Amino acid sequence: MERVYNFSAGPSMMPLEVLEKAASEMTNYGEAGMSVMEMSHRSKDFDKIIKDAEALFRELMNIPDNYKVLFLQGGGTTQFSMVALNLLRKSKKADYIVTGQWAKKAMQEAKKFGDIKVVATSEPDVYTYIPKVKREDFREDADYVYICMNNTIYGTRYPYIPDTGDIPLVADMSSNILSQEYDISKFGLIFAGAQKNIGPAGLVVVAIREDLIGFAPENCPVLLDYKTQAEKDSLYNTPPTYSIYFAKLVFEWVKSKGGVKAMQEINERKAAKLYDAIDKSELFKCPVNKEDRSLMNVVFVTGDDALDKKFVAEAKEAGLVNLGGHRTVGGMRASIYNAMPEEGVDKLIAFMEKFEKENK
Ligand SMILES: *Cc1c(COP(=O)(O)O)cnc(C)c1O
């Protein structure tokens, strides 16, 4: 069977060149005589892999020098707990903006550890927009403000970075990391589960401002303490070595394509084409507020559940797979991360036009 265009929200499509490179090195990495999977995490070869991965990530995302970059386990979700455990450090208050299920889960987890306030939410409108917040909306003594930058399930993204003044801003960037340029100095901490734009599921990449490290309570589990992880350069225990190696290959690929700036241009073009096709169509519509539309996850519906299902099934037959919306919302969702070639989006648009003609 040929490779398909995989529109899955995550785990999602990886660049073919990267998969092929990993395959070519699978059984024997460089001069090592073994697979990266078989290598000691204390070996010279692996030390170079993790250092290169970090250097590339810093370069691509323009991470300032006063931030630590960590390669951890437990996916995006473990960060919901780690953020609260470590950053509720003075008043034990944190303010959350709830723009989807991931932000809500993070908020619910944080409630176990402190005084959590939902400052704004778009839940009553099925998360179809990003609330506008101002500096004055946050509690002055909040330890941090939390946002989910791109809402994978609902297809929205922040078109702006909220102004939180001196309060550290924490952002879940799982589904938008490496997709567009950001001023990281505006954030206290960012994290990204790898399976959307970086690599294998389970790995999570964190960038944390150094002055926010070292505040976990005494009884914090050792691996959930950013201080442990930062002091040991993510090597307190055996890190997910193969996933870190794979992430390094993806970072090299992004760099070879011109870096995040070039990715952003392509992503904006891909998304604009697809939204344009949806807006012009009489069959499909996008329920999301125009200015908040995600570059990565394009959500659309026909308004008829049976027709949506037919679309998803027939698209699959045409080699365009995983176009069903999240199991809790239905409809369609095309996840068009960095690795989705522009050709995949063109094929999808052509398929949508054909489907519309056939189903008038
Ligand atoms: C996928 C996703 C998560 C969850 O990641 P896991 O690795 O499954 O824990 C969290 N936040 C966002 C924005 C996501 O897209």
Side-chain angles (χ1 to χ4, degrees):
M1 164 146 190
E2 269 186 59
R3 272 179 68 79
V4 293
Y5 291 104
N6 179 7
F7 292 91
S8 169
S12 41
M13 203 166 179
M14 289 290 141
L16 181 59
E17 292 110 299
V18 171
L19 292 168
E20 283 171 344
K21 168 101 172 150
S24 76
E25 295 180 332
M26 171 57 84
T27 58
N28 195 348
Y29 177 76
E31 299 290 304
M34 63 179 81
S35 171
V36 173
M37 214 180 293
E38 302 168 302
M39 230 174 238
S40 165
H41 56 300
R42 311 277 175 209
S43 65
K44 255 200 170 139
D45 278 321
F46 187 73
D47 183 61
K48 180 155 167 50
I49 289 170
I50 194 169
K51 290 209 169 105
D52 286 353
E54 177 177 341
L56 283 159
F57 182 75
R58 282 184 177 281
E59 181 186 339
L60 290 170
M61 290 293 296
N62 211 354
I63 309 281
D65 289 344
N66 61 326
Y67 286 64
K68 274 277 183 186
V69 170
L70 306 172
F71 294 97
L72 308 180
Q73 314 193 39
T77 303
T78 300
Q79 291 309 304
F80 300 170
S81 328
M82 273 181 89
V83 162
L85 264 166
N86 286 264
L87 300 194
L88 286 166
R89 62 205 188 287
K90 292 178 193 151
S91 65
K92 307 271 177 205
K93 293 179 186 173
D95 290 354
Y96 279 63
I97 305 176
V98 175
T99 51
Q101 288 185 33
W102 295 119
K104 190 174 180 181
K105 281 189 173 150
M107 179 274 290
Q108 285 165 338
E109 180 68 3
K111 274 190 168 171
K112 295 179 186 167
F113 306 106
D115 169 2
I116 305 304
K117 182 179 172 193
V118 176
V119 167
T121 177
S122 47
E123 186 171 10
D125 294 293
V126 210
Y127 299 122
T128 46
Y129 71 97
I130 300 290
K132 292 200 172 47
V133 289
K134 299 181 299 297
R135 171 74 187 85
E136 307 80 73
D137 296 333
F138 306 112
R139 291 179 289 184
E140 245 167 56
D141 59 345
D143 283 336
Y144 63 92
V145 170
Y146 183 102
I147 61 171
C148 179
M149 216 59 205
N150 183 78
N151 297 284
T152 324
I153 297 173
Y154 301 93
T156 61
R157 68 154 175 178
Y158 279 77
Y160 70 105
I161 298 175
D163 175 12
T164 59
D166 293 336
I167 311 171
L169 177 62
V170 173
D172 177 353
M173 291 201 183
S174 294
S175 51
N176 60 314
I177 195 92
L178 300 173
S179 69
Q180 66 175 92
E181 294 187 299
Y182 288 107
D183 179 356
I184 298 299
S185 71
K186 296 232 158 77
F187 301 89
L189 183 153
I190 61 159
F191 68 86
Q195 69 271 36
K196 282 90 188 207
N197 246 344
I198 297 180
L203 173 67
V204 56
V205 184
V206 177
I208 177 172
R209 215 172 63 208
E210 280 165 359
D211 62 287
L212 297 174
I213 298 173
F215 297 98
E218 289 266 307
N219 65 352
C220 179
V222 66
L223 279 180
L224 300 186
D225 186 342
Y226 289 123
K227 187 160 180 266
T228 313
Q229 300 285 10
E231 281 177 357
K232 302 289 182 190
D233 294 321
S234 312
L235 289 160
Y236 176 81
N237 73 329
T238 321
T241 49
Y242 194 80
S243 301
I244 293 168
Y245 154 76
F246 196 95
K248 186 199 80 139
L249 296 184
V250 171
F251 298 155
E252 284 170 350
W253 177 83
V254 173
K255 189 176 170 179
S256 77
K257 299 286 168 197
V260 174
K261 189 174 196 292
M263 284 292 138
Q264 177 169 351
E265 279 168 26
I266 299 167
N267 289 330
E268 283 170 349
R269 198 164 64 227
K270 287 190 311 194
K273 268 187 199 183
L274 188 47
Y275 285 120
D276 206 40
I278 294 165
D279 289 341
K280 283 192 181 130
S281 147
E282 281 170 25
L283 181 63
F284 302 105
K285 61 177 186 301
C286 170
V288 174
N289 189 28
K290 257 193 181 162
E291 68 187 51
D292 303 326
R293 288 173 172 183
S294 170
L295 288 184
M296 297 281 100
N297 312 96
V298 178
V299 168
F300 56 102
V301 296
T302 63
D304 172 344
D305 278 350
L307 200 55
D308 287 352
K309 287 203 172 70
K310 185 172 180 227
F311 178 88
V312 172
E314 288 182 12
K316 186 177 173 198
E317 292 297 308
L320 309 165
V321 312
N322 287 321
L323 280 163
H326 189 266
R327 61 195 150 78
T328 56
V329 293
M332 277 79 74
R333 171 177 52 174
S335 293
I336 49 173
Y337 299 114
N338 287 350
M340 172 59 67
E342 194 158 352
E343 192 192 17
V345 176
D346 293 338
K347 291 232 159 100
L348 172 59
I349 292 169
F351 179 80
M352 288 166 75
E353 284 165 358
K354 177 169 161 278
F355 185 87
E356 181 162 351
K357 272 194 202 115
E358 290 167 359
N359 291 275
K360 262 209 215 132

